[in-house]
Amino acid sequence: MKAIILTDQAAEMAGMKLAERPEPQAGINDVVVQVYAAAMTGDEASWPSTWVDRAGRDRTSSVPGHELAGVVTALGYGTTGLSLGQRVFGLTDWTRDGTLAEYVAVEARNLAPLPGDVDFTVGAALVMPGLTAWQGLFEHGRLRAGQTVLVHGAAGIVGSMAVQLARQAGAYVIGTGRAFHRQTALDFGAHDFFDLENNLLEDISEVDLVFDVFAGEIAKRSLGVVRAGGRLVTIAGPIDATAANTLVIDFVVEPDRGQLTELIRQVRDGRLRTHIGNVVTLNDAVAAFNPAMRINGKTIIRVRP
Ligand SMILES: NC(=O)c1ccc[n+]([C@@H]2O[C@H](COP(=O)([O-])OP(=O)(O)OC[C@H]3O[C@@H](n4cnc5c(N)ncnc54)[C@H](OP(=O)(O)O)[C@@H]3O)[C@@H](O)[C@H]2O)c1
């Protein structure tokens, strides 16, 4: 099969190329999915899990991408809950070969059914931002109706999803970003927008939750705008700071069939939309992920027409 591979840990994305790989086999409780649409996170090549298996053994060259939508073509020993020919979407294991390929083996529990009226590109684009925003806001952030949430990077891929989900949950949503992100953040549903280029973060009055996508200095300074007893949840790695009476949580998104099912229901109801910036073929994927090609929104690889 055709697949994108990462060939050199030191070279990161510069070592990305299109190659021929053997088709994967379904292990116990796996399915093999024929991939129709896939996506990866831009900085995946720098993650240790891209280069080793769960036992820490080198797995160079690896297939990147952990977001997919496609059709089940094989069932592993003992696999239940999904069937041959079924449309599915979901998030695959960080330490296995991924989804920028014609076929991928994935644990069935990581996938949810994709309804027939939802395009594969939309399914693939929903997985990572949808699960990350959901888990950050509601599981780790404990956001409730009537609360105020500050969403950093509100015009970005995960941030725009967090804005939509928080608003629907009845929260007051303040988005942040660069000055030119204002309209995009408001269009996704932010009640207010705070331009980090021209405003002082410290001018924001107390919020119940900060949903952070930056870590670093902005996240540290954001601790100062959380009310006593509030939370700061970040998806960009540990923050080297603490604040009395604020719980700081950094987490990595997990697969969840129930959450995927709820997210896709909201897409079909017209309450949630994905933030797709670019759709390219597998043949054009290497060029599309060139770090110099900076685009707004998610790059989706349409593996099968
Ligand atoms: N922990 C997890 O489970 C998890 C899951 C998904 C993603 N992530 C991580 O989360 C991060 C965000 O992912 P994403 O896909 O949402 O990225 P993204 O689409 O690039 O979103 C980031 C947004 O923030 C903006 N931004 C960046 N630096 C800024 C600054 N200094 N001031 C103002 N705005 C700024 C970006 O604008 P520009 O494009 O103009 O820079 C963009 O709109 C990445 O590091 C990713 O690896 C983690």
Side-chain angles (χ1 to χ4, degrees), residues 131-249:
L131 290 174
T132 307
W134 184 292
Q135 291 165 21
L137 292 171
F138 307 127
E139 291 189 342
H140 304 296
R142 304 272 167 86
L143 185 69
R144 295 188 309 275
Q147 292 191 325
T148 298
V149 57
L150 181 71
V151 177
H152 282 316
I157 297 166
V158 179
S160 60
M161 191 62 70
V163 165
Q164 296 176 82
L165 289 173
R167 180 156 183 157
Q168 275 185 52
Y172 186 80
V173 185
I174 307 169
T176 79
R178 304 186 198 282
F180 74 93
H181 292 146
R182 174 181 297 275
Q183 197 53 50
T184 307
L186 296 177
D187 287 348
F188 274 106
H191 293 94
D192 198 357
F193 182 79
F194 203 81
D195 154 13
L196 292 172
E197 290 171 327
N198 296 301
N199 298 125
L200 265 184
L201 195 53
E202 286 70 15
D203 287 343
I204 294 175
S205 49
E206 290 189 333
V207 301
D208 299 284
L209 172 67
V210 172
F211 183 98
D212 172 59
V213 304
F214 301 138
E217 276 310 305
I218 297 177
K220 277 191 203 174
R221 285 172 43 213
S222 302
L223 279 172
V225 306
V226 183
R227 68 157 171 84
R231 295 177 177 221
L232 184 150
V233 171
T234 182
I235 61 170
I239 293 174
D240 183 22
T242 53
N245 298 321
T246 299
L247 185 57
V248 178
I249 299 166

Side-chain angles (χ1 to χ4, degrees), residues 220-289:
K220 277 191 203 174
R221 285 172 43 213
S222 302
L223 279 172
V225 306
V226 183
R227 68 157 171 84
R231 295 177 177 221
L232 184 150
V233 171
T234 182
I235 61 170
I239 293 174
D240 183 22
T242 53
N245 298 321
T246 299
L247 185 57
V248 178
I249 299 166
D250 69 285
F251 77 101
V252 174
V253 59
E254 293 190 61
D256 190 297
R257 182 180 288 171
Q259 290 169 8
L260 286 174
T261 302
E262 175 57 23
L263 287 161
I264 208 73
R265 196 165 64 82
Q266 296 195 16
V267 168
R268 293 176 83 204
D269 289 351
R271 286 185 285 147
L272 201 59
R273 63 186 167 100
T274 51
H275 190 1
I276 297 176
N278 198 10
V279 180
V280 300
T281 64
L282 199 57
N283 287 341
D284 294 331
V286 173
F289 285 115

Side-chain angles (χ1 to χ4, degrees), residues 25-74:
Q25 302 296 311
I28 290 177
N29 292 332
D30 274 353
V31 293
V32 170
V33 178
Q34 183 171 33
V35 180
Y36 279 62
M40 72 177 281
T41 299
D43 49 4
E44 221 173 272
S46 66
W47 304 347
S49 56
T50 299
W51 303 98
V52 294
D53 65 15
R54 284 211 179 261
R57 287 179 298 247
D58 181 70
R59 62 184 186 89
T60 313
S61 300
S62 63
V63 178
H66 297 281
E67 299 139 86
L68 90 157
V71 170
V72 174
T73 56

